[in-house]
Amino acid sequence: MTASVLYDAPGPKARVRNRIYSVLGSLALIALLAFAVYRLDAKGQLDPKVWDIFNNAGVRTNIRDGVLTTLKVFAVAGALSLVLGLLLAVARLSEHRPVRWLATGFIELFRAVPLLITIYALWVLFLTYKTDLGVIGDYTAFWGLVIGLTVYNGSVQAEVFRAGINAVPKGQVEAAYALGMRKYQVMTMLLLPQAIRSMLPTMISQLVVTLKDTSLGYVITYTELLFATRTMANNIIVNGDNPFTAVTIVVGAIYIAMCLALSSLATWIERRGRRAKTGVAVAAAAEPAEAPGVLDASKGPLGPTTDRETQA
Amino acid sequence: MNVLLDHLADFREGFIGTVLLTLASGLLAMILGVVIAGFRVSPVPPLRMFGTAWVTLFRNTPLTLLFLIAWFVVPVIFVPGLSPWTKALLALGFYTSAFVCEAVRSGINTVPMGQAEAARSLGMTFSQTLRLIVLPQATRAVIAPLSSIFIALTKNSAIAGAFSVTELFGVQKLLSDKGFPIAWIFLWVALGYLVVTFSISGLFRLLERRLGVAR
């Protein structure tokens, strides 16, 4: 526990003091909450009529459809980004210099450019060449979003894979070559299985980032959860006002629930991995890498911060 | 190439907008993040709970949603009449503060136990231990992750452009609306972001060298 570093086990005096602070802290937090509720009420946002909109079947269908489109984008982009990440990681470790350079350039470029910029550029590109790209034509925004998410998260996943591969002890590779294995055999039978196993928590954490970033579809007017619900709220009027606040609270809760479910899956896998004693350490399920560089392979597979971050 | 030369003023304004927004929200995130990290390691349970809730909430909420909250909920319910820039600052700062908090907390973990023990045996209080002994030493361990967080913040600030704050994404949108080839715009805007992110990582590498000690 972090806390015990900073203070002793409290004695009788400190216990009393801590209790006073606890009460004061609680009071402050309750006051904050009460103020928020008071303001919400004063603005008529807690009026039963406002919340009654969620009893409407149409509203619920809208929210459900929004969740489904979000999950659809997430599923396609998540799967594609893992595939792309695998390919890029293998290409980056290739012995052929041009392949390595190409992969490195791709990864560095798309990791460094804001995802929104990429998505928007792709969207405009797809809109412009709509007729030539027959398949994409009707789903311009969908593919703009999916491919944008794929190239960005694929680049990050590639670094995650690479960190995992680098974490496998060198001796194993030498032993495999000594046994007469070929390069692709070493990669597919020895390196990748261990890399994936050890990096699974980090990979899932990156998928959480992917899930969160699907909401960028809002900007290119793709009807994911956020856009769908806001459009809906625009058309509903309760007491002469749009129920933006209520809808935002509900949609926010849905997002947080989805992301938390994925995050806790990552933490669970990490804890399971810790129990098993197989030699290659399992990475922490910490938020990896909206942050490029955290996974800098030169600093070891986990980067400098991730080792103790899971006490949350 | 022409896109850049003909609209140098737009690009410059967008670039400055991105830099300013990043700096301001980075500062806000630092202040909030350190305070919340202090909450999370404090001996007072309600504050610890508040810190945990804060981090969980902001780490699992899409930034776009936070922007919408800053735009449509905060003005109605809390503070009316904020400028778009301030609202973007709030959304980015609050979102990033959760990540700063986690970085600071794991930095605190790297400070050797004996340091805090020695501070306590000298009779320092919790806040003295934290302020005078632990946080200054944690700084070193925090620099590398902070650099990553600020780079992410720079990239995240693009979303502000979608909400009509002047910065580089806004420039991309404006010029592509005017019908210039998107590939060129993409290249120049991307270059603008690269300049900012490279400066950040360079600056932090410098800091790291300055503050680094052998342990």
Side-chain angles (χ1 to χ4, degrees):
Chain A
M1 191 64 214
T2 338
S4 61
V5 185
L6 294 166
Y7 48 86
D8 278 313
K13 237 181 182 172
R15 259 205 299 270
V16 172
R17 205 171 48 222
N18 280 352
R19 214 161 286 152
I20 294 172
Y21 286 151
S22 292
V23 170
L24 286 181
S26 311
L27 282 180
L29 292 183
I30 291 170
L32 201 73
L33 255 167
F35 176 72
V37 171
Y38 165 76
R39 290 295 298 175
L40 279 171
D41 191 41
K43 293 283 171 182
Q45 298 294 343
L46 294 183
D47 192 324
K49 269 193 215 146
V50 173
W51 291 88
D52 198 42
I53 59 170
F54 295 107
N55 282 329
N56 184 314
V59 171
R60 284 212 297 259
T61 317
N62 246 319
I63 293 179
R64 190 200 63 200
D65 289 350
V67 171
L68 287 180
T69 33
T70 288
L71 288 178
K72 194 171 80 185
V73 172
F74 169 62
V76 179
L80 285 179
S81 73
L82 286 174
V83 173
L84 181 70
L86 197 64
L87 291 177
L88 283 174
V90 172
R92 199 170 174 178
L93 293 167
S94 159
E95 280 169 9
H96 306 288
R97 219 175 269 159
V99 177
R100 208 162 57 214
W101 283 345
L102 219 66
T104 311
F106 187 93
I107 290 170
E108 293 300 333
L109 175 68
F110 285 107
R111 241 173 23 147
V113 174
L115 180 52
L116 184 58
I117 300 278
T118 312
I119 289 176
Y120 190 81
L122 283 169
W123 182 54
V124 173
L125 209 67
F126 290 162
L127 272 181
T128 321
Y129 298 104
K130 214 169 164 172
T131 39
D132 301 326
L133 301 162
V135 198
I136 288 174
D138 298 334
Y139 298 97
T140 340
F142 174 79
W143 284 111
L145 186 57
V146 164
I147 295 180
L149 283 167
T150 301
V151 293
Y152 173 73
N153 290 291
S155 301
V156 179
Q157 298 281 17
E159 292 301 274
V160 176
F161 278 119
R162 196 166 68 101
I165 288 171
N166 283 340
V168 177
K170 271 225 163 53
Q172 291 196 17
V173 179
E174 284 160 15
Y177 279 129
L179 285 175
M181 279 190 175
R182 293 178 162 276
K183 220 163 47 177
Y184 80 89
Q185 283 178 314
V186 173
M187 188 54 89
T188 53
M189 295 169 67
L190 188 113
L191 290 176
L192 283 182
Q194 297 196 71
I196 291 172
R197 191 183 158 279
S198 74
M199 292 318 258
L200 201 56
T202 316
M203 279 154 54
I204 296 175
S205 299
Q206 185 58 34
L207 285 179
V208 177
V209 176
T210 313
L211 178 57
K212 281 199 300 186
D213 283 346
T214 56
S215 66
L216 290 176
Y218 181 85
V219 177
I220 58 168
T221 67
Y222 178 67
T223 51
E224 41 73 58
L225 180 56
L226 218 50
F227 191 79
T229 46
R230 288 215 74 90
T231 323
M232 171 189 77
N234 256 325
N235 293 322
I236 303 174
I237 290 180
V238 190
N239 298 339
D241 206 3
N242 296 109
F244 282 138
T245 312
V247 169
T248 308
I249 290 173
V250 169
V251 170
I254 294 174
Y255 268 113
I256 291 172
M258 290 196 295
C259 293
L260 270 183
L262 255 186
S263 313
S264 45
L265 176 69
T267 325
W268 180 71
I269 289 178
E270 185 206 336
R271 227 174 300 129
R272 268 189 75 221
R274 284 266 160 82
R275 276 211 309 267
K277 295 194 169 32
T278 44
V280 181
V282 170
E287 190 76 30
E290 268 183 275
V294 161
L295 290 163
D296 204 335
S298 62
K299 286 175 187 150
L302 310 184
T305 50
T306 41
D307 50 346
R308 288 200 221 172
E309 249 187 298
T310 40
Q311 298 175 346
Chain B
M1 193 71 206
N2 279 337
V3 191
L4 176 72
L5 293 179
D6 294 349
H7 295 86
L8 207 55
D10 285 328
F11 273 107
R12 195 179 53 224
E13 221 171 288
F15 183 77
I16 293 172
T18 293
V19 172
L20 282 183
L21 193 59
T22 306
L23 278 179
S25 46
L27 196 69
L28 177 65
M30 277 296 291
I31 296 168
L32 279 174
V34 172
V35 171
I36 302 286
F39 281 7
R40 289 204 71 174
V41 297
S42 84
V44 185
L47 292 186
R48 275 209 302 269
M49 256 161 52
F50 177 73
T52 313
W54 179 282
V55 170
T56 312
L57 214 63
F58 282 108
R59 280 219 310 197
N60 288 297
T61 311
L63 186 53
T64 321
L65 182 69
L66 285 184
F67 265 92
L68 286 172
I69 292 174
W71 246 255
F72 297 103
V73 180
V74 171
V76 174
I77 295 172
F78 296 103
V79 212
L82 291 174
S83 72
W85 196 86
T86 322
K87 285 184 275 192
L89 165 77
L90 287 179
L92 284 169
F94 275 63
Y95 179 77
T96 311
S97 75
F99 296 89
V100 173
C101 167
E102 283 306 274
V104 171
R105 202 172 60 102
S106 65
I108 290 175
N109 281 341
T110 63
V111 176
M113 193 74 123
Q115 296 286 328
E117 281 170 357
R120 290 205 312 262
S121 70
L122 288 175
M124 287 189 174
T125 62
F126 168 75
S127 84
Q128 280 174 327
T129 313
L130 196 62
R131 272 187 303 123
L132 302 173
I133 307 293
V134 175
L135 279 183
Q137 297 190 70
T139 316
R140 285 181 206 117
V142 170
I143 283 177
L146 269 191
S147 150
S148 309
I149 289 169
F150 283 133
I151 288 172
L153 171 63
T154 313
K155 297 193 292 169
N156 284 334
S157 74
I159 299 178
F163 288 82
S164 65
V165 175
T166 311
E167 56 74 74
L168 280 169
F169 174 72
V171 176
Q172 184 191 24
K173 219 171 145 186
L174 176 87
L175 294 181
S176 114
D177 283 348
K178 282 187 183 169
F180 289 103
I182 188 72
W184 279 110
I185 306 171
F186 174 78
L187 217 63
W188 291 121
V189 170
L191 204 67
Y193 279 104
L194 281 177
V195 169
V196 181
T197 50
F198 265 107
S199 326
I200 290 176
S201 62
L203 200 74
F204 273 87
R205 208 163 301 146
L206 206 77
L207 265 178
E208 208 167 355
R209 258 213 312 273
R210 275 283 166 84
L211 297 175
V213 287
R215 276 234 170 92

PDB file of all heavy atoms in Angstrom, chain A residues 99-123:
ATOM      1  N   VAL A  99      11.954  -2.866 -45.447  1.00  0.00           N
ATOM      2  CA  VAL A  99      10.730  -3.247 -44.742  1.00  0.00           C
ATOM      3  C   VAL A  99      10.711  -2.614 -43.362  1.00  0.00           C
ATOM      4  O   VAL A  99       9.701  -2.037 -42.922  1.00  0.00           O
ATOM      5  CB  VAL A  99      10.639  -4.790 -44.619  1.00  0.00           C
ATOM      6  CG1 VAL A  99       9.399  -5.177 -43.826  1.00  0.00           C
ATOM      7  CG2 VAL A  99      10.646  -5.437 -45.986  1.00  0.00           C
ATOM      8  N   ARG A 100      11.856  -2.689 -42.699  1.00  0.00           N
ATOM      9  CA  ARG A 100      11.944  -2.139 -41.346  1.00  0.00           C
ATOM     10  C   ARG A 100      11.691  -0.639 -41.377  1.00  0.00           C
ATOM     11  O   ARG A 100      10.939  -0.112 -40.561  1.00  0.00           O
ATOM     12  CB  ARG A 100      13.342  -2.428 -40.810  1.00  0.00           C
ATOM     13  CG  ARG A 100      13.406  -2.558 -39.310  1.00  0.00           C
ATOM     14  CD  ARG A 100      14.674  -3.247 -38.885  1.00  0.00           C
ATOM     15  NE  ARG A 100      15.861  -2.557 -39.364  1.00  0.00           N
ATOM     16  CZ  ARG A 100      16.977  -3.179 -39.716  1.00  0.00           C
ATOM     17  NH1 ARG A 100      17.037  -4.490 -39.686  1.00  0.00           N
ATOM     18  NH2 ARG A 100      18.036  -2.501 -40.129  1.00  0.00           N
ATOM     19  N   TRP A 101      12.327   0.034 -42.321  1.00  0.00           N
ATOM     20  CA  TRP A 101      12.169   1.481 -42.411  1.00  0.00           C
ATOM     21  C   TRP A 101      10.731   1.879 -42.691  1.00  0.00           C
ATOM     22  O   TRP A 101      10.196   2.797 -42.085  1.00  0.00           O
ATOM     23  CB  TRP A 101      13.084   2.040 -43.515  1.00  0.00           C
ATOM     24  CG  TRP A 101      14.505   2.133 -43.090  1.00  0.00           C
ATOM     25  CD1 TRP A 101      14.978   2.056 -41.803  1.00  0.00           C
ATOM     26  CD2 TRP A 101      15.642   2.304 -43.933  1.00  0.00           C
ATOM     27  NE1 TRP A 101      16.336   2.180 -41.806  1.00  0.00           N
ATOM     28  CE2 TRP A 101      16.784   2.336 -43.084  1.00  0.00           C
ATOM     29  CE3 TRP A 101      15.815   2.453 -45.306  1.00  0.00           C
ATOM     30  CZ2 TRP A 101      18.064   2.494 -43.584  1.00  0.00           C
ATOM     31  CZ3 TRP A 101      17.100   2.621 -45.795  1.00  0.00           C
ATOM     32  CH2 TRP A 101      18.214   2.639 -44.942  1.00  0.00           C
ATOM     33  N   LEU A 102      10.132   1.157 -43.626  1.00  0.00           N
ATOM     34  CA  LEU A 102       8.750   1.462 -43.996  1.00  0.00           C
ATOM     35  C   LEU A 102       7.830   1.328 -42.779  1.00  0.00           C
ATOM     36  O   LEU A 102       7.027   2.219 -42.483  1.00  0.00           O
ATOM     37  CB  LEU A 102       8.298   0.492 -45.097  1.00  0.00           C
ATOM     38  CG  LEU A 102       7.435   1.106 -46.193  1.00  0.00           C
ATOM     39  CD1 LEU A 102       8.234   2.116 -46.991  1.00  0.00           C
ATOM     40  CD2 LEU A 102       6.889   0.008 -47.103  1.00  0.00           C
ATOM     41  N   ALA A 103       7.980   0.226 -42.067  1.00  0.00           N
ATOM     42  CA  ALA A 103       7.129  -0.008 -40.895  1.00  0.00           C
ATOM     43  C   ALA A 103       7.388   1.053 -39.838  1.00  0.00           C
ATOM     44  O   ALA A 103       6.447   1.610 -39.258  1.00  0.00           O
ATOM     45  CB  ALA A 103       7.395  -1.398 -40.319  1.00  0.00           C
ATOM     46  N   THR A 104       8.667   1.368 -39.608  1.00  0.00           N
ATOM     47  CA  THR A 104       8.987   2.375 -38.592  1.00  0.00           C
ATOM     48  C   THR A 104       8.379   3.721 -38.955  1.00  0.00           C
ATOM     49  O   THR A 104       7.776   4.387 -38.112  1.00  0.00           O
ATOM     50  CB  THR A 104      10.512   2.522 -38.453  1.00  0.00           C
ATOM     51  OG1 THR A 104      11.079   1.217 -38.309  1.00  0.00           O
ATOM     52  CG2 THR A 104      10.867   3.365 -37.255  1.00  0.00           C
ATOM     53  N   GLY A 105       8.525   4.101 -40.230  1.00  0.00           N
ATOM     54  CA  GLY A 105       7.972   5.374 -40.677  1.00  0.00           C
ATOM     55  C   GLY A 105       6.471   5.427 -40.489  1.00  0.00           C
ATOM     56  O   GLY A 105       5.933   6.402 -39.961  1.00  0.00           O
ATOM     57  N   PHE A 106       5.795   4.348 -40.891  1.00  0.00           N
ATOM     58  CA  PHE A 106       4.339   4.277 -40.753  1.00  0.00           C
ATOM     59  C   PHE A 106       3.936   4.440 -39.290  1.00  0.00           C
ATOM     60  O   PHE A 106       3.090   5.267 -38.942  1.00  0.00           O
ATOM     61  CB  PHE A 106       3.860   2.916 -41.287  1.00  0.00           C
ATOM     62  CG  PHE A 106       2.367   2.788 -41.361  1.00  0.00           C
ATOM     63  CD1 PHE A 106       1.695   3.101 -42.527  1.00  0.00           C
ATOM     64  CD2 PHE A 106       1.642   2.342 -40.266  1.00  0.00           C
ATOM     65  CE1 PHE A 106       0.321   2.970 -42.602  1.00  0.00           C
ATOM     66  CE2 PHE A 106       0.270   2.213 -40.335  1.00  0.00           C
ATOM     67  CZ  PHE A 106      -0.389   2.528 -41.510  1.00  0.00           C
ATOM     68  N   ILE A 107       4.583   3.663 -38.427  1.00  0.00           N
ATOM     69  CA  ILE A 107       4.236   3.692 -37.001  1.00  0.00           C
ATOM     70  C   ILE A 107       4.464   5.085 -36.425  1.00  0.00           C
ATOM     71  O   ILE A 107       3.581   5.649 -35.768  1.00  0.00           O
ATOM     72  CB  ILE A 107       5.071   2.658 -36.224  1.00  0.00           C
ATOM     73  CG1 ILE A 107       4.645   1.238 -36.585  1.00  0.00           C
ATOM     74  CG2 ILE A 107       4.919   2.869 -34.721  1.00  0.00           C
ATOM     75  CD1 ILE A 107       5.552   0.166 -36.051  1.00  0.00           C
ATOM     76  N   GLU A 108       5.645   5.653 -36.699  1.00  0.00           N
ATOM     77  CA  GLU A 108       5.968   6.949 -36.100  1.00  0.00           C
ATOM     78  C   GLU A 108       5.025   8.038 -36.591  1.00  0.00           C
ATOM     79  O   GLU A 108       4.563   8.870 -35.822  1.00  0.00           O
ATOM     80  CB  GLU A 108       7.417   7.340 -36.410  1.00  0.00           C
ATOM     81  CG  GLU A 108       8.456   6.448 -35.758  1.00  0.00           C
ATOM     82  CD  GLU A 108       8.365   6.450 -34.241  1.00  0.00           C
ATOM     83  OE1 GLU A 108       7.904   7.450 -33.675  1.00  0.00           O
ATOM     84  OE2 GLU A 108       8.746   5.438 -33.626  1.00  0.00           O
ATOM     85  N   LEU A 109       4.714   8.019 -37.900  1.00  0.00           N
ATOM     86  CA  LEU A 109       3.847   9.061 -38.449  1.00  0.00           C
ATOM     87  C   LEU A 109       2.466   9.008 -37.799  1.00  0.00           C
ATOM     88  O   LEU A 109       1.981   9.998 -37.248  1.00  0.00           O
ATOM     89  CB  LEU A 109       3.717   8.910 -39.959  1.00  0.00           C
ATOM     90  CG  LEU A 109       2.725   9.886 -40.591  1.00  0.00           C
ATOM     91  CD1 LEU A 109       3.255  11.312 -40.502  1.00  0.00           C
ATOM     92  CD2 LEU A 109       2.431   9.549 -42.044  1.00  0.00           C
ATOM     93  N   PHE A 110       1.829   7.842 -37.842  1.00  0.00           N
ATOM     94  CA  PHE A 110       0.447   7.800 -37.389  1.00  0.00           C
ATOM     95  C   PHE A 110       0.311   7.850 -35.882  1.00  0.00           C
ATOM     96  O   PHE A 110      -0.749   8.177 -35.364  1.00  0.00           O
ATOM     97  CB  PHE A 110      -0.267   6.582 -37.975  1.00  0.00           C
ATOM     98  CG  PHE A 110      -0.600   6.785 -39.419  1.00  0.00           C
ATOM     99  CD1 PHE A 110       0.089   6.118 -40.414  1.00  0.00           C
ATOM    100  CD2 PHE A 110      -1.577   7.692 -39.789  1.00  0.00           C
ATOM    101  CE1 PHE A 110      -0.200   6.329 -41.748  1.00  0.00           C
ATOM    102  CE2 PHE A 110      -1.876   7.917 -41.120  1.00  0.00           C
ATOM    103  CZ  PHE A 110      -1.180   7.229 -42.103  1.00  0.00           C
ATOM    104  N   ARG A 111       1.391   7.513 -35.162  1.00  0.00           N
ATOM    105  CA  ARG A 111       1.331   7.664 -33.721  1.00  0.00           C
ATOM    106  C   ARG A 111       1.450   9.124 -33.325  1.00  0.00           C
ATOM    107  O   ARG A 111       0.947   9.551 -32.303  1.00  0.00           O
ATOM    108  CB  ARG A 111       2.461   6.871 -33.065  1.00  0.00           C
ATOM    109  CG  ARG A 111       1.956   5.817 -32.139  1.00  0.00           C
ATOM    110  CD  ARG A 111       3.056   4.946 -31.634  1.00  0.00           C
ATOM    111  NE  ARG A 111       4.376   5.548 -31.665  1.00  0.00           N
ATOM    112  CZ  ARG A 111       5.310   5.278 -30.763  1.00  0.00           C
ATOM    113  NH1 ARG A 111       5.040   4.471 -29.779  1.00  0.00           N
ATOM    114  NH2 ARG A 111       6.499   5.815 -30.869  1.00  0.00           N
ATOM    115  N   ALA A 112       2.153   9.893 -34.154  1.00  0.00           N
ATOM    116  CA  ALA A 112       2.448  11.272 -33.768  1.00  0.00           C
ATOM    117  C   ALA A 112       1.331  12.242 -34.167  1.00  0.00           C
ATOM    118  O   ALA A 112       1.173  13.285 -33.557  1.00  0.00           O
ATOM    119  CB  ALA A 112       3.757  11.723 -34.394  1.00  0.00           C
ATOM    120  N   VAL A 113       0.568  11.889 -35.209  1.00  0.00           N
ATOM    121  CA  VAL A 113      -0.476  12.797 -35.678  1.00  0.00           C
ATOM    122  C   VAL A 113      -1.746  12.573 -34.859  1.00  0.00           C
ATOM    123  O   VAL A 113      -2.099  11.437 -34.589  1.00  0.00           O
ATOM    124  CB  VAL A 113      -0.754  12.537 -37.170  1.00  0.00           C
ATOM    125  CG1 VAL A 113      -1.927  13.355 -37.635  1.00  0.00           C
ATOM    126  CG2 VAL A 113       0.471  12.831 -37.981  1.00  0.00           C
ATOM    127  N   PRO A 114      -2.415  13.649 -34.446  1.00  0.00           N
ATOM    128  CA  PRO A 114      -3.665  13.475 -33.710  1.00  0.00           C
ATOM    129  C   PRO A 114      -4.642  12.617 -34.512  1.00  0.00           C
ATOM    130  O   PRO A 114      -4.784  12.799 -35.721  1.00  0.00           O
ATOM    131  CB  PRO A 114      -4.196  14.895 -33.563  1.00  0.00           C
ATOM    132  CG  PRO A 114      -3.004  15.750 -33.643  1.00  0.00           C
ATOM    133  CD  PRO A 114      -2.047  15.066 -34.550  1.00  0.00           C
ATOM    134  N   LEU A 115      -5.306  11.697 -33.803  1.00  0.00           N
ATOM    135  CA  LEU A 115      -6.223  10.771 -34.464  1.00  0.00           C
ATOM    136  C   LEU A 115      -7.314  11.517 -35.225  1.00  0.00           C
ATOM    137  O   LEU A 115      -7.703  11.141 -36.326  1.00  0.00           O
ATOM    138  CB  LEU A 115      -6.827   9.845 -33.410  1.00  0.00           C
ATOM    139  CG  LEU A 115      -7.810   8.802 -33.881  1.00  0.00           C
ATOM    140  CD1 LEU A 115      -7.239   7.998 -35.020  1.00  0.00           C
ATOM    141  CD2 LEU A 115      -8.165   7.893 -32.734  1.00  0.00           C
ATOM    142  N   LEU A 116      -7.791  12.616 -34.623  1.00  0.00           N
ATOM    143  CA  LEU A 116      -8.878  13.364 -35.255  1.00  0.00           C
ATOM    144  C   LEU A 116      -8.455  13.898 -36.624  1.00  0.00           C
ATOM    145  O   LEU A 116      -9.231  13.884 -37.583  1.00  0.00           O
ATOM    146  CB  LEU A 116      -9.304  14.513 -34.347  1.00  0.00           C
ATOM    147  CG  LEU A 116     -10.493  15.335 -34.819  1.00  0.00           C
ATOM    148  CD1 LEU A 116     -11.705  14.459 -35.018  1.00  0.00           C
ATOM    149  CD2 LEU A 116     -10.809  16.433 -33.841  1.00  0.00           C
ATOM    150  N   ILE A 117      -7.215  14.350 -36.716  1.00  0.00           N
ATOM    151  CA  ILE A 117      -6.687  14.863 -37.983  1.00  0.00           C
ATOM    152  C   ILE A 117      -6.707  13.749 -39.027  1.00  0.00           C
ATOM    153  O   ILE A 117      -7.137  13.947 -40.174  1.00  0.00           O
ATOM    154  CB  ILE A 117      -5.242  15.365 -37.776  1.00  0.00           C
ATOM    155  CG1 ILE A 117      -5.188  16.465 -36.743  1.00  0.00           C
ATOM    156  CG2 ILE A 117      -4.619  15.792 -39.090  1.00  0.00           C
ATOM    157  CD1 ILE A 117      -5.528  17.818 -37.231  1.00  0.00           C
ATOM    158  N   THR A 118      -6.246  12.561 -38.644  1.00  0.00           N
ATOM    159  CA  THR A 118      -6.221  11.430 -39.563  1.00  0.00           C
ATOM    160  C   THR A 118      -7.628  11.060 -40.001  1.00  0.00           C
ATOM    161  O   THR A 118      -7.895  10.880 -41.191  1.00  0.00           O
ATOM    162  CB  THR A 118      -5.563  10.214 -38.882  1.00  0.00           C
ATOM    163  OG1 THR A 118      -4.365  10.639 -38.267  1.00  0.00           O
ATOM    164  CG2 THR A 118      -5.282   9.118 -39.878  1.00  0.00           C
ATOM    165  N   ILE A 119      -8.528  10.948 -39.026  1.00  0.00           N
ATOM    166  CA  ILE A 119      -9.898  10.546 -39.344  1.00  0.00           C
ATOM    167  C   ILE A 119     -10.542  11.543 -40.298  1.00  0.00           C
ATOM    168  O   ILE A 119     -11.165  11.171 -41.293  1.00  0.00           O
ATOM    169  CB  ILE A 119     -10.742  10.415 -38.054  1.00  0.00           C
ATOM    170  CG1 ILE A 119     -10.311   9.184 -37.260  1.00  0.00           C
ATOM    171  CG2 ILE A 119     -12.223  10.332 -38.378  1.00  0.00           C
ATOM    172  CD1 ILE A 119     -11.017   9.028 -35.949  1.00  0.00           C
ATOM    173  N   TYR A 120     -10.331  12.822 -40.003  1.00  0.00           N
ATOM    174  CA  TYR A 120     -10.958  13.852 -40.834  1.00  0.00           C
ATOM    175  C   TYR A 120     -10.411  13.810 -42.258  1.00  0.00           C
ATOM    176  O   TYR A 120     -11.173  13.878 -43.232  1.00  0.00           O
ATOM    177  CB  TYR A 120     -10.719  15.236 -40.208  1.00  0.00           C
ATOM    178  CG  TYR A 120     -11.509  16.327 -40.857  1.00  0.00           C
ATOM    179  CD1 TYR A 120     -12.838  16.525 -40.516  1.00  0.00           C
ATOM    180  CD2 TYR A 120     -10.938  17.153 -41.814  1.00  0.00           C
ATOM    181  CE1 TYR A 120     -13.573  17.523 -41.111  1.00  0.00           C
ATOM    182  CE2 TYR A 120     -11.673  18.149 -42.422  1.00  0.00           C
ATOM    183  CZ  TYR A 120     -12.985  18.334 -42.063  1.00  0.00           C
ATOM    184  OH  TYR A 120     -13.715  19.316 -42.660  1.00  0.00           O
ATOM    185  N   ALA A 121      -9.068  13.661 -42.362  1.00  0.00           N
ATOM    186  CA  ALA A 121      -8.453  13.605 -43.691  1.00  0.00           C
ATOM    187  C   ALA A 121      -8.984  12.409 -44.474  1.00  0.00           C
ATOM    188  O   ALA A 121      -9.333  12.528 -45.659  1.00  0.00           O
ATOM    189  CB  ALA A 121      -6.934  13.530 -43.560  1.00  0.00           C
ATOM    190  N   LEU A 122      -9.089  11.262 -43.807  1.00  0.00           N
ATOM    191  CA  LEU A 122      -9.596  10.058 -44.475  1.00  0.00           C
ATOM    192  C   LEU A 122     -11.036  10.270 -44.925  1.00  0.00           C
ATOM    193  O   LEU A 122     -11.422   9.892 -46.033  1.00  0.00           O
ATOM    194  CB  LEU A 122      -9.524   8.860 -43.532  1.00  0.00           C
ATOM    195  CG  LEU A 122      -8.142   8.233 -43.345  1.00  0.00           C
ATOM    196  CD1 LEU A 122      -8.170   7.256 -42.189  1.00  0.00           C
ATOM    197  CD2 LEU A 122      -7.727   7.523 -44.621  1.00  0.00           C
ATOM    198  N   TRP A 123     -11.819  10.895 -44.053  1.00  0.00           N
ATOM    199  CA  TRP A 123     -13.228  11.113 -44.354  1.00  0.00           C
ATOM    200  C   TRP A 123     -13.379  11.983 -45.597  1.00  0.00           C
ATOM    201  O   TRP A 123     -14.131  11.655 -46.518  1.00  0.00           O
ATOM    202  CB  TRP A 123     -13.895  11.765 -43.143  1.00  0.00           C
ATOM    203  CG  TRP A 123     -15.360  12.015 -43.290  1.00  0.00           C
ATOM    204  CD1 TRP A 123     -16.321  11.107 -43.626  1.00  0.00           C
ATOM    205  CD2 TRP A 123     -16.019  13.273 -43.090  1.00  0.00           C
ATOM    206  NE1 TRP A 123     -17.554  11.714 -43.634  1.00  0.00           N
ATOM    207  CE2 TRP A 123     -17.403  13.038 -43.318  1.00  0.00           C
ATOM    208  CE3 TRP A 123     -15.613  14.557 -42.732  1.00  0.00           C
ATOM    209  CZ2 TRP A 123     -18.347  14.049 -43.200  1.00  0.00           C
ATOM    210  CZ3 TRP A 123     -16.553  15.542 -42.610  1.00  0.00           C
ATOM    211  CH2 TRP A 123     -17.905  15.287 -42.844  1.00  0.00           C
TER     212      TRP A 123
END
